[in-house]
Amino acid sequence: MLFLPAISVLTAAAFRGVSAEPYNTFDGPGFPACNDVAAVYNVTSVAQVVSIVKTAAANGTPVRASGKGHMWYDTMCQDDPRTIIIRTEGLTKISEFNLPAGATSGSVVVEGGVTFLQLAEYLHQNGASMGYTLVNWNITIAGAVAMGGHRSSIREPSMVVAGVLSMDIVNGKGEIVTIDRNNNNDDWLAASTSLGLLGVITRLKYRIYPDSKVYANQVTLTEDQVLNGDIYGLIAPYATANLWWWPYLKKFHHRFYNEVPISTSDQQGFQNTFSATETEATLARTILDTGKYFATSNMLMETIFEGLWSKPNFHEKTTDAEITTWPVYGWNYDVLIGGLYPGQKPIWEYNVRGMTLELAFPVTQANAMLKRVRQLFDLEWSQRGIIMTSTYRSGINIKFGQAYYDFLGQATYNTSDGVDWTKGTIMFDFPSYKPTVGDKKRFNEEFYPRLAKTLIDEFPCRPHWTKNTREVFGNATKNIDPSHLAKFKVVRQKFDPQGIFKSIVGQTLGLYS
């Protein structure tokens, strides 16, 4: 595979004799996002994107845009060894900042490779923030929009695209098309969660707000308190909130955040998202690898992880000192997301990697869904003598989303299934450790596809577009509103008549038949 700087013209000759190779997810070699890619182009301007797409369209060359890092499986491209990748990380311009004094909101324009961390730092320096339409530091804003990324909130808009006022897409003809927010426009409703099938998102106009301080707090709940409790009531009062499930210990952590006056505290908490020391990562990997063979190792690791996660995963930003008590106070993005502690790396750079499954359900069925998962855990014990655990540092992540209407988003509503999605969604996100030893399959590997099939078959649910396998997408397509797929397909054909932006997900959804 060729890794190339951006060029003004992409010629067909560039691919003669090139052997296709995998293009990897953020996890690196052995974790392909695309199985067969001929070349990767690192662009630094929108003009370069236009030029590459125009030439690719003329040659019938498959193209996919790639952001920073939230792909988990080999579903990003089609299985065509001629495929090229336009990597957008070099599109980092931030401009047109507009937040007048005293205004409750404003806007800023970002290019398609700007990450949430880059924008958060820029906004903080200018007395502004993104509010709550944000996700992890290592993801581009354009990528999050394309895949339907979301924060966890029912009270506040939580889809990243809810913060977008307009976007520029380079379509399948190499033309720049500007789409303004308009819920009466099918182009907008398709672009809101486009899966990258309409083209390359190169610019976005994004809503911003005056900077704010927030607090984070956390309490531990018993499994009974959640499964038989008012789950909606645990989440809805807060600007953002979620649950972490520890199934072996039968506990939940309930994390919640709200805005506070800036004068409330001088503390500047900074959340640790994915970072670890080499010693921590090596110890965790060693124990988790033995968990491929022994359930007791996984039980031990869940106990360790739960104990660590009971404490604030925050440092004081100004000193890097550990914060040991709840609640924690700090600036908007630092507390809601944060990033890597100084001198540390993300866990995947220490060969601690995982697999996941994420499905969204109507929040009105939250209790029933979680109880069904508990039943499936218990059946593993009663029928097979296997105790199920969480092998991820923060447990099973239970997130929530305010209803948001578009064609393919997880939180859309007014769908043909007749289910009430208007109160919001609950997202069941079950990451698990992938061993580095033996055949590298997880302990009780057969359980995970059984779990996915049961939930998809028994509940109205929708897949996260980058965190599921081909098999999950194949089964979950039946739960997507056919009229939404039909309307999206019309827009897709208009934007990309040749289908050069085709992906496995798009093919599975029937958008190219």
Side-chain angles (χ1 to χ4, degrees), residues 10 36 158 202 235 237 249 252 288 316 340:
L10 178 65
D36 300 293
S158 55
T202 53
I235 305 302
L249 298 171
F252 281 84
L288 287 167
E316 167 59 44
L340 303 176

Side-chain angles (χ1 to χ4, degrees), residues 4 10 28 82 84 95 110 132 140 159 170 191 207 228 235 296 326 329 334 337 340 385-386 420 439 460 474 490 511:
L4 304 168
L10 178 65
R82 300 173 301 137
I84 62 171
S95 61
V110 300
Y132 301 103
T140 64
M159 291 279 288
V170 177
R207 184 182 286 114
N228 294 303
I235 305 302
T296 50
W326 299 102
Y329 298 90
D334 289 346
I337 297 293
L340 303 176
I386 294 173
D420 182 10
D439 61 8
V490 170
L511 299 173

Side-chain angles (χ1 to χ4, degrees), residues 336-359:
L336 295 176
I337 297 293
L340 303 176
Y341 289 158
Q344 297 189 12
K345 296 180 180 180
I347 54 175
W348 51 87
E349 292 190 17
Y350 295 119
N351 203 19
V352 180
R353 298 181 170 93
M355 302 174 71
T356 195
L357 162 76
E358 183 176 326
L359 301 169

